[in-house]
Structure formats: structure tokens, C-alpha cells
Amino acid sequence: MVQVVVDNPIGMHVVLDLYECDPQILDDIERIEEILTEAAEVANATVIDKRFHKFSPQGVSGVVVVSESHIAIHTWPEHGYAAVDVYTCGDHTMPLKASEYIIRELKCKRPTLVKLDRGLLFKG
Amino acid sequence: MVQVVVDNPIGMHVVLDLYECDPQILDDIERIEEILTEAAEVANATVIDKRFHKFSPQGVSGVVVVSESHIAIHTWPEHGYAAVDVYTCGDHTMPLKASEYIIRELKCKRPTLVKLDRGLLFKG
């Protein structure tokens, strides 16, 4: 019998749909950038680049590229909603810790979270 | 009786784990940038920024920020594997078309795809 073994996933992707956040924070590009940058640190990831944009009349998008993948946010202050992705690779990273940090800092009262294993390789 | 209606999702996020891609393409930062930029066009999204990085000894990460969210890629040429996210908002965008384009251009022989509704609001 051939043994089939699924190896550890290459990455963990935490998909956060965050409802009932503080709309003022969601529309504050400087604060959003601070939160995502700090989140990368909480995840123990290494920031290599970041880009943030403010939309008119409202909303912010931002991506922090880390050596271990990326953290991204898109906000809709008018709905109190933020879509966040915390996607990191490597045993040293803690994407759930970063997710908890982001939920708290956005003052989110109704977070939803899905964890996805990314990159499942077969051994043997 | 109170009627509860789930509105259309704010965004559609296509999560692609692409196995058995062409390793040479996965390690070619210029080609990867071309493919993702073209994918944004295929999706009918508007590029507002893009960042690409080459890792040593191998691998590429890239994010194309579009007005309608983002398209991201992280590649592991040594595994023939690429993690791709095509996440767009608005009825005018076609994230699945962009996904098909990326699968073809990476010469992927074993694509996996999950569609996620992002941002479900309740009406009424």
C-alpha cells in the first residue's frame, strides 16, 4: 500500500470580515497604516514594503508586504465594515495573534474569521 | 414577522492554490508582474499601485492594488506552487476571468479554487 501523507501547509491565511467597526478609524489612513504595521510585528513577520490609499469620499485600502506573504485591508466606513487578510508562512509567524490585534484596534463588535491552509503538498 | 434579507456581497475573493505550475515562470519577477497586471485588466479592475519582490534563492511576491481591492501572488518555484488571491468589488469586475487567465499563463496543471463572498450585509 502506498502511504500518502499531507505535509504541513506552506502558509496560513486568516480571512477576516469585520462588521460594526469604528467608522472614524476605518476612514483614517494614518491610523490604519499604524494598525497594519503593528499587526505585522505582532505576527512576528518582517515588513518589506507597504502601500496605503485613501478613497473619495471615504474608505482606505492598504497592503503590507511581509517576507512571509502579506496583510491587506479594505474599509467601507459607511458600512462599518473592513475586509482584512492576514496571510503568513513559516512556523515563526502568528497570524491569529495579529488578527486579534486588528479586531481590537478597529473596535470591531462583530468579527468573523475563517482560517485557510494555503499550499498543501503531498509527501512520499 | 421580520424579514431578513442578505444583500449582495460587497466583494468576491477568489483564493487560488496553484500546483504544478511552470517553475521558471514562477521565478521570473518580470513575467509575474506582466501576468498580474494583465489579470487586473482582464478582471476589468483599475490598477492604482503595484509592488513586486524577488526572494533569494528563489520565489516572487507581488501585489497589484486596484481601486476594487487587490490581486496578490506568492510563488514557491521549488514546489511548482503559487498562492494567488484575486479579490475585487463591484458588479463590473470579473475576478473569475482574471483567475482563468492567471492559471493559463502560469501553465498550471493542477489548479484549486475557492470563491469567498466578502462583506455580507443584512437589509431591512
Side-chain angles (χ1 to χ4, degrees), chain A residues 29-76:
Chain A
I29 185 171
E30 288 175 16
R31 184 70 192 116
I32 292 291
E33 179 168 345
E34 276 175 9
I35 293 171
L36 253 68
T37 307
E38 180 63 24
E41 185 149 325
V42 172
N44 198 30
T46 305
V47 176
I48 54 178
D49 210 340
K50 49 188 182 175
R51 311 299 286 180
F52 287 81
H53 297 271
K54 179 83 181 71
F55 293 97
S56 177
Q58 53 190 344
V60 171
S61 273
V63 181
V64 176
V65 181
V66 294
S67 309
E68 301 87 353
S69 293
H70 69 267
I71 303 177
I73 189 167
H74 306 283
T75 76
W76 283 260

Side-chain angles (χ1 to χ4, degrees), chain A:
Chain A
M1 206 171 79
V2 180
Q3 196 188 13
V4 177
V5 179
V6 180
D7 206 355
N8 288 331
I10 291 178
M12 185 198 285
H13 186 159
V14 184
V15 174
L16 297 149
D17 282 314
L18 304 181
Y19 304 93
E20 298 176 35
C21 299
D22 183 324
Q24 281 196 309
I25 296 173
L26 295 187
D27 206 33
D28 180 344
I29 185 171
E30 288 175 16
R31 184 70 192 116
I32 292 291
E33 179 168 345
E34 276 175 9
I35 293 171
L36 253 68
T37 307
E38 180 63 24
E41 185 149 325
V42 172
N44 198 30
T46 305
V47 176
I48 54 178
D49 210 340
K50 49 188 182 175
R51 311 299 286 180
F52 287 81
H53 297 271
K54 179 83 181 71
F55 293 97
S56 177
Q58 53 190 344
V60 171
S61 273
V63 181
V64 176
V65 181
V66 294
S67 309
E68 301 87 353
S69 293
H70 69 267
I71 303 177
I73 189 167
H74 306 283
T75 76
W76 283 260
E78 67 274 35
H79 296 304
Y81 166 72
V84 177
D85 294 85
V86 181
Y87 174 22
T88 62
C89 304
D91 292 339
H92 65 289
T93 60
M94 294 172 290
L96 284 174
K97 286 278 167 221
S99 301
E100 290 162 356
Y101 173 80
I102 293 167
I103 291 167
R104 190 179 72 227
E105 294 302 317
L106 296 179
K107 298 185 181 170
C108 175
K109 294 189 191 122
R110 189 161 61 88
T112 74
L113 183 157
V114 176
K115 278 197 308 175
L116 299 173
D117 285 344
R118 299 292 301 268
L120 287 172
L121 304 175
F122 294 90
K123 266 185 183 168

Side-chain angles (χ1 to χ4, degrees), chain B residues 58-75:
Chain B
Q58 54 190 341
V60 171
S61 273
V63 181
V64 176
V65 181
V66 294
S67 310
E68 300 86 355
S69 293
H70 69 268
I71 302 177
I73 189 167
H74 306 284
T75 76

Side-chain angles (χ1 to χ4, degrees), chain B residues 41-54:
Chain B
E41 186 149 322
V42 171
N44 197 30
T46 306
V47 176
I48 54 177
D49 210 340
K50 50 188 181 175
R51 309 299 284 182
F52 287 81
H53 296 271
K54 177 85 181 70

